[in-house]
Coordinates of all heavy atoms in Angstrom, one line a residue:
A259 N 12.3 4.4 13.5 CA 11.5 3.4 12.9 C 11.2 2.4 13.9 O 10.1 1.9 14.1 CB 12.1 2.8 11.7
R260 N 12.2 2.0 14.6 CA 12.0 0.9 15.6 C 11.0 1.4 16.8 O 10.2 0.6 17.3 CB 13.4 0.5 16.2 CG 13.3 -0.7 17.2 CD 12.8 -1.9 16.6 NE 12.8 -3.0 17.4 CZ 11.9 -4.1 17.2 NH1 11.1 -4.1 16.1 NH2 11.9 -5.0 18.1
A261 N 11.3 2.7 17.2 CA 10.4 3.2 18.3 C 9.0 3.3 17.8 O 8.1 2.9 18.6 CB 10.9 4.6 18.7
A262 N 8.8 3.8 16.5 CA 7.4 3.9 16.0 C 6.7 2.6 15.8 O 5.5 2.4 16.1 CB 7.4 4.6 14.7
S263 N 7.5 1.5 15.5 CA 6.9 0.2 15.2 C 6.4 -0.4 16.5 O 5.5 -1.4 16.4 CB 7.9 -0.7 14.6 OG 8.9 -1.2 15.5
R264 N 6.8 -0.1 17.7 CA 6.3 -0.7 18.8 C 4.9 -0.5 19.2 O 4.2 -1.3 19.7 CB 7.2 -0.2 20.1 CG 8.6 -0.6 20.2 CD 9.3 -0.4 21.5 NE 10.7 -0.6 21.4 CZ 11.5 0.5 21.3 NH1 11.1 1.7 21.5 NH2 12.9 0.2 21.3
A265 N 4.4 0.6 18.6 CA 3.0 0.9 18.9 C 2.1 0.2 18.0 O 0.8 0.4 18.1 CB 2.8 2.5 18.8
V266 N 2.6 -0.5 17.0 CA 1.8 -1.2 16.0 C 1.6 -2.6 16.4 O 2.5 -3.3 16.8 CB 2.5 -1.1 14.6 CG1 1.6 -1.9 13.6 CG2 2.8 0.3 14.2
G267 N 0.3 -3.2 16.4 CA 0.0 -4.4 16.8 C -0.8 -5.2 15.8 O -1.4 -4.6 14.9
R268 N -0.9 -6.5 15.9 CA -1.7 -7.4 15.1 C -3.0 -7.5 15.8 O -3.2 -8.0 16.9 CB -1.0 -8.8 14.9 CG -1.9 -9.7 14.1 CD -1.2 -11.0 13.9 NE -1.2 -12.0 15.0 CZ -1.1 -13.2 14.8 NH1 -0.9 -13.8 13.7 NH2 -1.1 -14.0 16.0
V269 N -4.1 -7.1 15.1 CA -5.5 -7.3 15.6 C -6.0 -8.7 15.2 O -6.0 -9.1 14.0 CB -6.4 -6.2 15.0 CG1 -7.8 -6.4 15.5 CG2 -5.9 -4.8 15.3
V270 N -6.3 -9.4 16.3 CA -6.8 -10.8 16.1 C -8.3 -10.9 16.2 O -9.0 -10.5 17.3 CB -6.1 -11.7 17.1 CG1 -6.6 -13.2 16.8 CG2 -4.7 -11.6 17.0
L271 N -9.0 -11.2 15.1 CA -10.5 -11.3 15.2 C -11.0 -12.7 15.5 O -10.5 -13.7 14.8 CB -11.0 -10.9 13.8 CG -10.5 -9.6 13.2 CD1 -11.0 -9.2 11.9 CD2 -10.9 -8.4 14.2
R272 N -11.8 -12.8 16.4 CA -12.3 -14.1 16.9 C -13.9 -14.2 16.9 O -14.5 -13.1 17.1 CB -11.8 -14.5 18.3 CG -10.2 -14.5 18.3 CD -9.8 -15.1 19.6 NE -8.4 -15.3 19.7 CZ -7.4 -14.5 20.2 NH1 -7.9 -13.4 20.9 NH2 -6.2 -14.8 20.2
D273 N -14.5 -15.3 16.6 CA -15.8 -15.4 16.7 C -16.3 -15.7 18.1 O -15.5 -15.7 19.0 CB -16.4 -16.6 15.8 CG -15.8 -18.0 16.2 OD1 -15.3 -18.1 17.3 OD2 -15.9 -18.9 15.3
A274 N -17.6 -15.9 18.3 CA -18.1 -16.1 19.6 C -17.5 -17.3 20.4 O -17.6 -17.3 21.7 CB -19.7 -16.2 19.6
R275 N -17.0 -18.2 19.7 CA -16.5 -19.5 20.2 C -15.0 -19.3 20.5 O -14.3 -20.3 20.9 CB -16.8 -20.7 19.4 CG -18.3 -20.9 19.2 CD -18.5 -22.0 18.1 NE -17.8 -23.3 18.5 CZ -17.9 -24.3 17.7 NH1 -18.5 -24.3 16.5 NH2 -17.2 -25.4 18.1
G276 N -14.5 -18.1 20.1 CA -13.1 -17.9 20.4 C -12.1 -18.3 19.3 O -10.9 -18.4 19.4
R277 N -12.7 -18.8 18.2 CA -11.9 -19.2 17.0 C -11.4 -18.0 16.3 O -12.2 -17.1 16.0 CB -12.7 -20.2 16.2 CG -13.1 -21.5 16.9 CD -13.8 -22.4 15.9 NE -14.9 -21.8 15.3 CZ -15.8 -22.4 14.5 NH1 -15.5 -23.7 14.1 NH2 -16.9 -21.8 14.0
T278 N -10.2 -18.1 15.8 CA -9.6 -16.9 15.0 C -10.2 -16.9 13.6 O -10.3 -17.9 12.9 CB -8.1 -17.0 14.9 OG1 -7.5 -16.9 16.2 CG2 -7.6 -15.9 14.0
V279 N -10.8 -15.8 13.2 CA -11.5 -15.7 11.9 C -10.8 -14.7 10.9 O -11.2 -14.6 9.8 CB -13.0 -15.4 12.0 CG1 -13.7 -16.5 12.7 CG2 -13.1 -14.1 12.8
G280 N -9.8 -14.0 11.4 CA -9.1 -13.0 10.6 C -8.1 -12.2 11.4 O -8.0 -12.3 12.6
Y281 N -7.5 -11.4 10.6 CA -6.4 -10.4 11.2 C -6.5 -9.2 10.6 O -7.0 -8.9 9.5 CB -5.0 -11.1 11.1 CG -4.8 -12.4 11.6 CD1 -4.9 -13.5 10.9 CD2 -4.4 -12.5 13.0 CE1 -4.6 -14.8 11.4 CE2 -4.3 -13.7 13.5 CZ -4.2 -14.9 12.8 OH -4.0 -16.1 13.3
G282 N -6.0 -8.1 11.2 CA -5.8 -6.8 10.7 C -4.6 -6.2 11.4 O -3.8 -6.9 12.2
T283 N -4.4 -4.9 11.2 CA -3.3 -4.2 11.9 C -3.9 -3.0 12.6 O -4.9 -2.5 12.2 CB -2.2 -3.7 10.9 OG1 -1.6 -4.7 10.2 CG2 -1.1 -2.9 11.6
G284 N -3.5 -2.7 13.7 CA -3.9 -1.6 14.5 C -2.7 -0.9 15.2 O -1.7 -1.4 15.3
W285 N -2.9 0.4 15.7 CA -1.8 1.0 16.4 C -2.4 2.0 17.6 O -3.5 2.5 17.4 CB -1.0 1.8 15.4 CG -1.8 2.5 14.3 CD1 -2.2 2.0 13.3 CD2 -2.0 3.9 14.2 NE1 -2.9 2.9 12.4 CE2 -2.7 4.1 13.0 CE3 -1.6 5.0 15.0 CZ2 -3.1 5.4 12.6 CZ3 -2.1 6.3 14.6 CH2 -2.7 6.5 13.4
L286 N -1.6 2.1 18.6 CA -2.0 3.0 19.6 C -1.8 4.5 19.2 O -0.7 4.9 18.7 CB -1.1 2.6 20.9 CG -1.3 1.3 21.5 CD1 -0.1 0.9 22.5 CD2 -2.6 1.3 22.2
C287 N -2.8 5.2 19.4 CA -2.8 6.6 19.0 C -2.9 7.6 20.3 O -2.9 8.7 20.3 CB -3.8 7.0 18.0 SG -5.5 6.6 18.5
S288 N -3.0 6.8 21.4 CA -2.9 7.4 22.8 C -2.5 6.2 23.8 O -2.4 5.2 23.3 CB -4.2 8.1 23.2 OG -5.1 7.2 23.7
S289 N -2.4 6.5 25.0 CA -2.0 5.5 26.0 C -3.1 4.5 26.2 O -2.8 3.5 26.8 CB -1.7 6.1 27.3 OG -2.8 6.9 27.9
R290 N -4.4 4.9 25.8 CA -5.4 3.8 26.0 C -6.2 3.4 24.7 O -7.0 2.6 24.8 CB -6.4 4.5 27.0 CG -6.0 4.5 28.5 CD -6.0 3.1 29.1 NE -7.2 2.3 28.8 CZ -8.4 2.6 29.5 NH1 -8.5 3.5 30.5 NH2 -9.4 1.8 29.2
L291 N -5.9 4.1 23.6 CA -6.8 3.9 22.4 C -6.1 3.4 21.3 O -4.9 3.8 21.0 CB -7.5 5.3 22.0 CG -8.3 6.0 23.1 CD1 -8.8 7.3 22.6 CD2 -9.5 5.0 23.6
L292 N -6.7 2.5 20.6 CA -6.1 1.8 19.4 C -7.0 2.2 18.2 O -8.3 2.3 18.2 CB -6.3 0.2 19.6 CG -5.7 -0.6 18.4 CD1 -4.3 -0.9 18.7 CD2 -6.4 -1.9 18.2
L293 N -6.4 2.5 17.0 CA -6.9 2.9 15.8 C -6.7 1.7 14.7 O -5.7 1.3 14.6 CB -6.4 4.2 15.3 CG -7.1 4.9 14.1 CD1 -8.5 5.3 14.5 CD2 -6.3 6.0 13.6
T294 N -7.8 1.4 14.1 CA -7.8 0.5 12.9 C -8.9 0.8 12.0 O -9.4 1.9 12.1 CB -7.8 -0.9 13.4 OG1 -7.6 -1.8 12.3 CG2 -9.2 -1.4 14.1
N295 N -9.2 0.0 11.1 CA -10.2 0.2 10.1 C -11.7 -0.2 10.6 O -11.8 -1.2 11.3 CB -9.9 -0.5 8.8 CG -8.8 0.0 7.9 OD1 -8.1 -0.7 7.4 ND2 -8.6 1.4 7.9
H296 N -12.6 0.5 10.1 CA -14.0 0.1 10.3 C -14.3 -1.3 9.8 O -15.0 -2.1 10.4 CB -15.0 1.1 9.7 CG -16.4 0.6 9.6 ND1 -17.3 0.7 10.7 CD2 -17.1 0.1 8.7 CE1 -18.4 0.3 10.4 NE2 -18.3 -0.1 9.1
H297 N -13.6 -1.6 8.6 CA -13.9 -2.9 8.0 C -13.2 -4.0 8.8 O -13.4 -5.2 8.4 CB -13.6 -2.9 6.5 CG -12.3 -3.0 6.1 ND1 -11.6 -1.9 5.6 CD2 -11.3 -3.9 6.0 CE1 -10.3 -2.1 5.3 NE2 -10.2 -3.4 5.5
V298 N -12.3 -3.7 9.6 CA -11.6 -4.6 10.5 C -12.5 -4.9 11.7 O -12.8 -6.0 12.2 CB -10.2 -4.3 10.9 CG1 -9.6 -5.2 12.0 CG2 -9.3 -4.2 9.7

């Protein structure tokens, strides 16, 4: 569980001015690629 959790991250959504406007969750599904929702 601990090993699997390392690949999970908090997706931080920001507007054009750099202000945080929301959050989601995402996870690495390869060494370079992150998967999350389209609505995120």
Side-chain angles (χ1 to χ4, degrees):
R260 185 61 180 157
S263 72
R264 291 194 192 103
V266 181
R268 181 174 76 156
V269 178
V270 183
L271 307 175
R272 298 188 174 104
D273 62 17
R275 297 171 59 185
R277 298 183 301 182
T278 298
V279 294
Y281 299 98
T283 301
W285 41 284
L286 292 167
C287 54
S288 78
S289 63
R290 286 286 314 279
L291 301 179
L292 182 92
L293 189 65
T294 187
N295 290 140
H296 168 79
H297 75 257
V298 173

